[in-house]
Amino acid sequence: MASPRPATRTSFAGLSLRAFVIVYLLVFVGLPLAAAVPPLVREPPATVWAKATAPEAVAAVKLSVYAAAVGGGINTVMGGLIAWALVRSRFPGRRLADTLVDLPFAIPAVVAGIALMSLYGPASAAGQWMGEDGWLGRRLMSVGMPALSVTGSFFGLVLANLFVTLPFVVRTVQPVIAGLESDVEEAAASLGAGAAGVFFRVTFPQILPAMLMGFALAFSRGVNEYGIAALISGKIPFESLVASVYILQRLDVRDFTGATAVSVVLTLISLSVLVATYGWSQWRLRRGA
C-alpha cells in the first residue's frame, strides 16, 4: 500500500521542475523579448515601418545577414571537419585543439577584435600582404578583384563571424558524431562501399541535422555580432555599417523607435532560421529519414 507514495513524490517533483523551467525561461528570455513590443505599439505603425525600412537600416541588415550567412556556411563545413577530427582521430595536441574551440566563448569580443586587428590589420604583415601594395592584393586586383582589408570591408566582417561562431557548429555536431554507431558503417564497408560511399550514404545523413542546427546557431549569433564588428566594420553607411552598430547609433541619438524596430527585425530573422531548422529536423525525424 505504501508503493504509490514514491510515484506521487516523483510526479510532484517532475511538475515542480517543469514549472520552475517555464518560469525561468519566461523571466529571463520571454520578458526581455516582450519588452521590445510596447515601445513599438505606442508609435504609429507607419512610423515604425518607416524606421525599419529606412534605406540605411535595410542596407545594414542586409550586410549583417550576408556576412553571417557566409561565415556560418564556411564554419558549418570547417566545424564539421573539426568535430570529426576531434572525435574520430587521435593526434598530438587533440586536447589542446578541443580546448581552443571554446576560446571565442571565453574571451570578450572586443579583445578578439583587437587581436584580429593586430594580426590582420593594415599595419600588420598579413594586412600589408593582402593590401593594395602587397603581393596578394596586387594579384587580386590584376584579375578585377579588390584587395583584401580587414577594416571596413565585407571580408573583415566574415572573418569576425568565423571567429565568434565556430564553437556553435563544433559543439553541436561533436556529440552527434560521438554517438554514431560504427556497426552500420562497418556493414556498408563490408558490402563493398568505399570510404566516400560510407560517409555520404551512411554517416552524413545522420549528422546533417546537427550541422544545419549548428549553422542556424552560428548564423543567429553572427547576424547580431557587435563587439568585433564595432572595431573592424568602419561604420560606413551602405558599405560596412552592420545592423548591430546601426542600432547603437540610433540609441546614441535617442531614436529608440528606430533602434527597437531594427532590433525586432534581427530577432525575427534569427528566430525564423532557428524555427525553420528545428521544424525541418522534426519533420525528418517523423519520416524516419
Side-chain angles (χ1 to χ4, degrees):
M1 297 299 293
S3 59
R5 291 184 179 178
T8 303
R9 287 197 296 268
T10 302
S11 177
F12 176 76
L15 291 174
S16 300
L17 177 61
R18 295 170 190 171
F20 173 77
V21 169
I22 292 174
V23 171
Y24 189 90
L25 290 175
L26 286 176
V27 171
F28 293 102
V29 179
L31 288 180
L33 291 177
V37 176
L40 296 182
V41 174
R42 289 194 293 265
E43 297 289 339
T47 301
V48 176
W49 178 256
K51 296 287 187 179
T53 58
E56 189 173 330
V58 172
V61 171
K62 285 183 177 179
L63 181 60
S64 295
V65 170
Y66 293 157
V70 174
I74 294 174
N75 268 344
T76 299
V77 178
M78 298 306 301
L81 292 175
I82 292 172
W84 183 273
L86 292 176
V87 174
R88 293 293 183 94
S89 302
R90 295 293 181 268
F91 54 90
R94 184 177 66 89
R95 292 185 178 180
L96 176 61
D98 192 44
T99 302
L100 288 177
V101 168
D102 293 326
L103 188 61
F105 286 153
I107 66 174
V110 175
V111 175
I114 295 174
L116 290 177
M117 286 290 294
S118 300
L119 186 60
Y120 300 109
S124 67
Q128 295 176 1
W129 181 68
M130 296 184 299
E132 295 182 355
D133 297 328
W135 183 88
L136 180 60
R138 292 196 301 270
R139 297 301 182 277
L140 291 174
M141 290 188 295
S142 66
V143 295
M145 299 176 61
L148 298 179
S149 174
V150 172
T151 57
S153 68
F154 183 76
F155 170 74
L157 294 173
V158 171
L159 193 65
N161 274 276
L162 291 177
F163 178 83
V164 299
T165 64
L166 179 63
F168 292 92
V169 180
V170 176
R171 295 312 185 206
T172 303
V173 178
Q174 193 173 0
V176 177
I177 296 176
L180 293 178
E181 298 182 359
S182 59
D183 296 347
V184 180
E185 297 176 351
E186 293 173 358
S190 65
L191 293 175
V198 171
F199 177 78
F200 286 106
R201 295 185 179 183
V202 178
T203 307
F204 183 70
Q206 298 182 72
I207 65 175
L208 178 59
M211 293 184 67
L212 291 179
M213 182 55 68
F215 169 80
L217 293 173
F219 173 84
S220 300
R221 175 66 178 84
V223 80
N224 296 284
E225 168 58 26
Y226 171 77
I228 302 180
L231 292 178
I232 68 175
S233 67
K235 306 177 184 180
I236 305 174
F238 303 103
E239 291 186 17
S240 62
L241 179 64
V242 292
S244 57
V245 178
Y246 174 82
I247 291 171
L248 185 63
Q249 290 181 349
R250 292 294 90 200
L251 292 175
D252 288 339
V253 297
R254 305 187 67 80
D255 182 11
F256 299 109
T257 302
T260 305
V262 177
S263 299
V264 170
V265 171
L266 290 182
T267 301
L268 291 176
I269 292 174
S270 300
L271 287 178
S272 298
V273 173
L274 289 172
V275 170
T277 304
Y278 179 78
W280 178 85
S281 300
Q282 292 300 307
W283 171 79
R284 189 175 180 272
L285 183 63
R286 286 194 297 268
R287 290 182 67 242

